[in-house]
Amino acid sequence: MHAGTPRRGLLAAGAATLAAPGVARAQQAQQMAIATGTTGGVYYPLGGGLANILSRRIPGMSATVEVTGGSVANLQLLGANRVGLVFTQVDAAVDAERGNERFRGRPVPVRAIAVIYTNRMQAVTVSSTGITKITDLRGKRVSTGAPGSATEVMAFRLIEAAGLDPQRDFRARERLSPAESTNAIKDGKIDAYFFVSGVPTSAITDLGATPGTQLVLIDHDEYTPKIVEKYGPVYFNEVIPAGTYPGQRTDNKQMSVANILAVRSDMPNDMVTSLLRVTWEAREDLVRTHSEARSFTLDVQKTAAAGVPWHPAAEAFWKGLGATLA
């Protein structure tokens, strides 16, 4: 991100314009900044595909993608009215809407417009480290995710549930993006890293495909009930099947969280409807961008999965297609 640059100013102005009443009916150029994530994850390529779709199919729309640290940073940008649309994990969105954790004293008027796919917590290492369980991270060099990412939030909750303190129990703690983390493991600078994303994700695929490297994904599903007890029912257990990544020999039993597309509560209804109509009609284009878009279906549009309130126009859109949202 490049705060203060002319490009940022243009995007900020565009996002602010989107919040103005009636702009969706105006035949003037409209800027739409979409906050995504790091280049090694899934938000970024999906965001690029979505920006292309919106720019092609909504008259006068110019949609662009922002590379960010991830969900927390995206929601902070949304709260500041500097972007119009964000990808975010549900846990971070709930914190933002309630003014908790990183958003204490600064709640964000975030509203869900679509549940898109599941994000998987991936605790990543290689066989040469000898790490096979979360508690083995004690005394190791670990990256807990990029600053501003929901990976960092979720990783801290998992580490805490395992009885570890990230400030005291690691020999070193880094805050690296997934691509940086993969390079750091290759170079012997860290022993393990956390990354929450759809699967497969390019950074972990890269690590698994590295000659002489045996990828290990650490099971951690046993800690989910404890985390849910403290933070609410936004997490659930899933399995990343063996062979999802090069060299992945066993199923990975892990914790997941839903992803949503979200906007501010004051986005005009007709703009939300246009965004959803175009995105829904072009969902096969998104699948060609990344396979995780196959999970963007009518039956996953559930209020419980969204975590935060629906934008009223989104609620009406999904009900109009037959979703119960229950």
Side-chain angles (χ1 to χ4, degrees):
M1 294 184 297
H2 304 284
T5 65
R7 179 171 177 268
R8 165 65 77 196
L10 174 64
L11 294 174
T17 300
L18 287 175
V23 71
R25 292 183 293 274
Q27 294 303 308
Q28 61 201 49
Q30 301 166 25
Q31 297 283 345
M32 169 67 76
I34 305 172
T36 60
T38 59
T39 56
V42 176
Y43 284 179
Y44 180 71
L46 271 184
L50 181 57
N52 287 335
I53 289 166
L54 298 179
S55 296
R56 289 198 320 266
R57 301 196 181 195
I58 296 181
M61 172 68 72
S62 176
T64 53
V65 171
E66 290 288 318
V67 178
T68 72
S71 297
V72 174
N74 294 352
L75 291 158
Q76 290 168 338
L77 289 169
L78 190 69
N81 216 3
R82 294 172 68 185
V83 296
L85 179 65
V86 301
F87 287 75
T88 179
Q89 285 184 194
V90 167
D91 53 352
V94 169
D95 284 346
E97 200 263 335
R98 296 178 179 175
N100 292 338
E101 300 280 334
R102 307 285 184 87
F103 304 92
R104 192 169 303 283
R106 295 187 302 278
V108 178
V110 57
R111 294 294 182 266
I113 65 168
V115 179
I116 42 177
Y117 67 94
T118 295
N119 251 9
R120 317 295 191 97
M121 166 54 80
Q122 296 158 97
V124 184
T125 188
V126 291
S127 60
S128 59
T129 66
I131 297 168
T132 60
K133 54 187 184 295
I134 297 296
T135 51
D136 289 342
L137 296 176
R138 190 185 304 273
K140 303 296 187 181
R141 301 163 300 173
V142 179
S143 171
T144 52
S149 67
T151 291
E152 194 170 56
V153 173
M154 201 166 165
F156 272 36
R157 292 175 180 180
L158 175 55
I159 291 163
E160 174 191 52
L164 299 176
D165 184 332
Q167 310 304 335
R168 295 198 301 264
D169 289 334
F170 299 151
R171 179 147 65 94
R173 184 175 77 86
E174 305 294 341
R175 303 175 74 195
L176 306 175
S177 73
E180 291 168 337
S181 295
T182 282
N183 289 333
I185 283 192
K186 289 181 184 180
D187 295 341
K189 294 178 179 177
I190 64 171
D191 303 302
Y193 69 89
F194 294 92
F195 185 45
V196 184
S197 73
V199 296
T201 190
S202 60
I204 301 174
T205 297
D206 177 26
L207 181 61
T210 302
T213 295
Q214 178 57 56
L215 178 71
V216 175
L217 297 182
I218 307 166
D219 288 350
H220 54 266
D221 61 324
E222 65 193 278
Y223 301 110
T224 306
K226 188 174 182 179
I227 296 169
V228 166
E229 183 180 350
K230 181 170 181 178
Y231 295 102
V234 295
Y235 303 111
F236 47 92
N237 286 332
E238 288 189 310
V239 172
I240 299 174
T244 298
Y245 291 107
Q248 182 196 347
R249 294 175 175 171
T250 60
D251 290 351
N252 176 221
K253 300 172 183 177
Q254 47 71 230
M255 178 173 66
S256 294
V257 64
N259 290 297
I260 58 174
L261 286 175
V263 299
R264 290 175 58 93
S265 60
D266 55 6
M267 178 175 275
N269 288 343
D270 47 5
M271 175 57 78
V272 172
T273 301
S274 294
L275 292 176
L276 282 175
R277 177 181 50 78
V278 167
T279 303
W280 182 247
E281 290 173 354
R283 58 192 182 279
E284 285 303 317
D285 290 349
L286 287 177
V287 171
R288 285 189 283 273
T289 301
H290 196 283
S291 60
E292 280 289 11
R294 293 192 186 282
S295 300
F296 179 39
T297 60
L298 194 61
D299 62 353
V300 301
Q301 307 308 318
K302 305 289 187 184
T303 298
V308 296
W310 291 103
H311 190 288
E315 185 173 11
F317 178 85
W318 294 119
K319 285 182 175 178
L321 290 179
T324 63
L325 302 185

